[in-house]
């Protein structure tokens, strides 16, 4: 059966790490819009050239572009089993995703809201900057990404709370502890 999980949360909460692990253990495909965009930037595509300055400024990429990317990915999947990581990030994206899920008969297993205190998020992002060298992991961009999150993505917490899909996950523990909380929230203890 076609199924999906959404990872929601501020930058640095650990969504990517957890989404990768959950995807590999459930046999789902992880769809990270950030990873897809970074691959476009690395390949120097037209989309990459458009997205790079926005990403480097900590701003969101326009909804139409993101929805085009997601649409392309889903069209290529006959029986989608997907972990959305970093998508949706705006109300317009969430509404479009609802329509897509409905059209394709994809069941939403849950929306995982992974959070941690702001100082911890910034500490992790600055640490990742040194390890991975992501060009948007510097102090100024991190601040802008936090503001974008609060203004545009935070409203999705209420949106999914209303539909009863939201599961709050404490992102502060070790990777294993957080993963265990996620498995319990979804009822998929492996
Ligand atoms: P991430 O790897 O998820 O932190 O995304 C890195 C950057 O890519 C973000 O700061 C945005 O500029 C852009 N981005 C990724 N996903 C989205 C999305 N769903 N909507 C708009 N912009 C996005």
């Amino acid at each position: 059966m076609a199924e999906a999980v959404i990872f929601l949360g501020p930058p640095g909460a650990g969504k990517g790490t957890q989404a990768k692990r959950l995807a590999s253990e459930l046999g789902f495909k992880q769809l990270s819009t950030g990873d897809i965009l970074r691959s476009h930037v690395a390949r120097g595509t037209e989309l990459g050239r458009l997205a790079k300055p926005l990403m480097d400024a900590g701003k969101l990429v326009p909804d139409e572009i993101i929805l085009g990317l997601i649409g392309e990915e889903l069209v290529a999947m006959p029986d989608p089993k997907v972990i959305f990581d970093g998508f949706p990030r705006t109300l317009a994206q969430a509404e479009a995703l609802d329509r897509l899920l409905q059209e394709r008969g994809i069941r939403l297993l849950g929306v995982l809201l992974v959070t941690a205190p702001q100082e911890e998020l910034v500490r992790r992002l600055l640490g990742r900057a040194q390890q991975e060298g992501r060009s948007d992991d510097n102090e100024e961009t991190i601040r802008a990404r936090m503001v974008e999150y609060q203004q545009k993505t935070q409203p999705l917490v209420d949106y999914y709370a209303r539909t009863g899909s939201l599961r709050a996950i404490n992102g502060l523990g070790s990777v294993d502890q957080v993963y265990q909380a996620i498995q319990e929230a979804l009822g998929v203890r492996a």
Side-chain angles (χ1 to χ4, degrees):
M1 192 163 102
E3 293 171 326
V5 174
I6 295 173
F7 273 84
L8 195 63
K15 298 185 300 291
T17 306
Q18 299 294 341
K20 271 192 197 86
R21 180 160 170 187
L22 187 67
S24 87
E25 290 192 15
L26 293 182
F28 279 34
K29 182 173 164 101
Q30 178 209 11
L31 270 186
S32 156
T33 39
D35 284 350
I36 299 172
L37 290 169
R38 277 185 288 279
S39 135
H40 275 274
V41 172
R43 285 178 282 132
T45 67
E46 195 182 327
L47 197 158
R49 283 196 296 276
L50 197 150
K52 187 175 181 355
L54 293 167
M55 295 169 79
D56 284 348
K59 298 280 179 199
L60 292 184
V61 171
D63 290 333
E64 314 78 73
I65 292 184
I66 299 292
L67 291 171
L69 291 175
I70 291 288
E72 260 171 40
E73 295 281 341
L74 283 183
V75 158
M77 300 170 85
D79 181 31
K81 290 190 182 295
V82 192
I83 311 262
F84 292 107
D85 166 14
F87 169 85
R89 260 180 158 100
T90 64
L91 221 41
Q93 291 179 21
E95 286 166 357
L97 178 60
D98 273 352
R99 288 192 291 274
L100 265 174
L101 295 180
Q102 203 162 15
E103 276 163 28
R104 295 289 308 269
I106 302 172
R107 192 163 76 96
L108 187 56
L109 299 181
V111 178
L112 301 165
L113 172 65
V114 189
T115 52
Q118 174 102 358
E119 321 84 74
E120 173 66 11
L121 300 173
V122 173
R123 196 184 63 76
R124 287 183 188 175
L125 291 168
L126 289 174
R128 185 172 75 184
Q130 283 167 351
Q131 280 171 2
E132 296 177 18
R134 258 179 66 166
S135 63
D136 59 350
D137 280 344
N138 60 74
E139 251 181 286
E140 198 185 335
T141 306
I142 289 170
R143 221 173 296 125
R145 285 158 67 198
M146 294 296 176
V147 171
E148 284 285 80
Y149 176 77
Q150 279 151 13
Q151 292 180 346
K152 296 181 181 162
T153 310
Q154 191 102 26
L156 300 191
V157 173
D158 286 342
Y159 180 84
Y160 287 117
R162 275 200 299 275
T163 62
S165 328
L166 198 72
R167 312 272 183 276
I169 304 290
N170 178 3
L172 249 195
S174 67
V175 170
D176 283 343
Q177 285 168 333
V178 177
Y179 188 67
Q180 198 177 331
I182 287 171
Q183 286 179 310
E184 280 165 13
L186 289 175
V188 293
R189 286 305 288 281

